[in-house]
Each structure stands twice: as C-alpha cells, then as structure tokens.
Amino acid sequence: MIGGARRPREDGPEPVPPSHQGCAIDSVRVHLPAQCAGPRAELCDRHEDGHHLHHLVWRLGPGVRVCSSAVLGGGIGPRAWILNAQVPGGYPRLDPDRHLAEIAAAEGLSGPGAGLMTAAEVAAYTTGRDGGVTATVTTGLGVRGWAATPETTAPESLASQTAAPECATDEPATGETPTPETPAPEPAAPGMEPRTPPRPGTVNIVVVLPVALSDAALVNAVATATEAKVQALLDAGLDCSGTPTDAVCVAAPEPGPDGGEPFAGPRSPWGARIARAVHAAVLAGARPARGLS
C-alpha cells in the first residue's frame, strides 16, 4: 500500500493523485534545507508498502539546464525539476523511471525532469556551499568498493547488491563478492541479458550553480564533482571510490549569447567551487562510516 499525509493546497481543489496498480502515491513536505540563492530543495516524506521514505525535490523552473547520469531524464538538456527519492533496500521494481515519474507527478512536478534513487536515508542529506555553489548529497556506503575491479562472468544482480540495508560498515566491500546475506545470482543463458532492476544509486550528488555553463563545462562539472567525491571518501578514511551506481546532477542556468562559462575543471574558478562544495558535503556524509563525525 502506498499512501501518506496530504499537503494542503492554496490554489484550488486538490487534484486526484496518480496511482500505480491502484495504490495512491502522496507525500508531505517536511522542511526546506537551508541553501544559498537559487533553486531550493524540499525535503518531503511518503509511505509506500509499509515503508516511511523521504525524497528531495528541486523545483528549478524554466531556463535551467541539467547534466546528469540520472536514471530518469539523464543527459544534458532543459529540466524543470530534480528528484532524489529514497527506496527500500532490495528494491524490487523493474521500472525505476516510471516509479520516479509517479513520485514526481504526486509532487505536482511537470515538464522534463531528472530523477535519482537511493537506498540511503535521504533525510540525512548533507550540504556544502562555496561561492554561490550548493552541493546536496545523500550518502549510503553499505556496498562500496573501487570503480576498476576484475571482470566477472556472473551478471550484476539487484538481489546481490541491495538486499543489505544502506548503512556503512567498518569493513570495506570487496567488489561484488556475494555474502551469506546477499546470495550469488544465477548466470544468465549464453547470449541472454538478465532482466533485473537497476540498483538505486547510493551516493547521489546534486550541484546547483548560479552561472551558465557551456556543454563542455557541464560535462566537466560532473567529472569535477566525481573527483571531489572520491577525494572526500579517501579523506574520510574509506578505502573506496564510491558505490557501483553513484549518480551526479549539475544544474545551471541556460547560457546566453556568450555560451556560458567555458571551463569547470577543478582549477577553474567555478570548478574549484564545485569541488570544494561537493568535498564538504560528501565528507560530512561519509565520516560516520569511520566514526569520524
């Protein structure tokens, strides 16, 4: 069953919420995280199948571009909103993009948007700010490791990666090695790809800038944010580069005739601000994994 408290409306009758398999999806605003000028994130909660879950919403409005690796609305283009939704560990659905669209519709979001998922506790988000840049991060490091690991023949399975709850442990993960709590998946038939749900990202980073970036700078901003994330994880004493499905969203105004800022590498003015903001937010979220908070 999916349901929850309804948010009061001030502009007319309450709309009928969207549904999935006959179950209403609804949520209530909890509070607004304090941020610098620009689009603000709203922390909301909802109830799905007996789970009390949270999600963050950025209502960007017109004139904003997003570059992201999000499961819904990834790529580069105009986006009216960003959604970072918490889901239970062992997420069973095969249509995360549709699920995110349902949550967005219940929030009254319209137009193109970007949607991310995580099994981490979204209400425990952390923020970093530097020179007008705001980075908001949700950090779940229960399944972590290095990006480059030996090739395996067994297909990646949701059950083997998300059954464990999203909480950090003192021992770093060792790639995709199955444990008693996460049984090894059965190999797929030769030439056949297994039909398994994508694993929700566990370290999700949303960066909001007050200045326009060129296409190349937007892509570079994602790389800079990722570099800063890895630096923060190492500074927190964690022997990893992240989790297998971390995601990044960078939002910036549409460029004008000048084409926007041309660079966003870590030694450019805006790239340096991105790096410091992301580093601060990830470090704050990762420190509890080593008892450093």
Side-chain angles (χ1 to χ4, degrees), residues 160-184:
S160 68
Q161 295 186 23
T162 60
E166 275 304 328
C167 57
T169 61
D170 286 340
E171 294 299 325
T174 55
E176 304 300 319
T177 303
T179 68
E181 292 74 28
T182 56

Side-chain angles (χ1 to χ4, degrees), residues 44-168:
C44 307
D45 71 353
R46 68 189 193 282
H47 292 84
E48 292 186 13
D49 297 325
H51 298 282
H52 183 204
L53 305 169
H54 292 88
H55 53 273
L56 287 166
V57 177
W58 287 258
R59 302 175 192 270
L60 304 177
V64 176
R65 291 199 309 168
V66 171
C67 179
S68 83
S69 58
V71 65
L72 172 67
I76 299 179
R79 300 290 183 267
W81 49 268
I82 299 172
L83 171 67
N84 184 11
Q86 179 187 359
V87 296
Y91 182 68
R93 288 184 60 163
L94 298 171
D95 57 348
D97 51 346
R98 179 179 174 183
H99 189 187
L100 286 164
E102 291 166 358
I103 298 171
E107 285 293 340
L109 305 174
S110 60
L116 309 91
M117 283 186 169
T118 179
E121 173 53 74
V122 167
Y125 69 88
T126 53
T127 58
R129 303 177 186 86
D130 193 287
V133 175
T134 301
T136 306
V137 177
T138 53
T139 308
L141 293 165
V143 181
R144 59 184 183 262
W146 294 105
T149 60
E151 183 177 3
T152 59
T153 56
E156 201 170 16
S157 166
L158 180 80
S160 68
Q161 295 186 23
T162 60
E166 275 304 328
C167 57

Side-chain angles (χ1 to χ4, degrees), residues 88-291:
Y91 182 68
R93 288 184 60 163
L94 298 171
D95 57 348
D97 51 346
R98 179 179 174 183
H99 189 187
L100 286 164
E102 291 166 358
I103 298 171
E107 285 293 340
L109 305 174
S110 60
L116 309 91
M117 283 186 169
T118 179
E121 173 53 74
V122 167
Y125 69 88
T126 53
T127 58
R129 303 177 186 86
D130 193 287
V133 175
T134 301
T136 306
V137 177
T138 53
T139 308
L141 293 165
V143 181
R144 59 184 183 262
W146 294 105
T149 60
E151 183 177 3
T152 59
T153 56
E156 201 170 16
S157 166
L158 180 80
S160 68
Q161 295 186 23
T162 60
E166 275 304 328
C167 57
T169 61
D170 286 340
E171 294 299 325
T174 55
E176 304 300 319
T177 303
T179 68
E181 292 74 28
T182 56
E186 295 182 3
M192 298 293 292
E193 290 294 328
R195 175 60 171 161
T196 57
R199 178 171 181 247
T202 51
V203 179
N204 286 341
I205 300 170
V206 176
V207 178
V208 178
L209 289 93
V211 298
L213 300 179
S214 68
D215 286 357
L218 271 174
V219 175
N220 207 354
V222 171
T224 296
T226 303
E227 291 182 43
K229 175 200 73 174
V230 176
Q231 180 182 347
L233 294 176
L234 295 177
D235 287 347
L238 297 172
D239 191 21
C240 66
S241 59
T243 78
T245 50
D246 295 348
V248 179
C249 283
V250 176
E254 290 269 10
D258 63 353
E261 294 288 329
F263 306 112
R267 291 299 172 264
S268 67
W270 287 102
R273 293 167 185 148
I274 292 169
R276 289 190 292 265
V278 171
H279 181 272
V282 174
L283 185 61
R287 273 180 164 163
R290 282 293 186 183

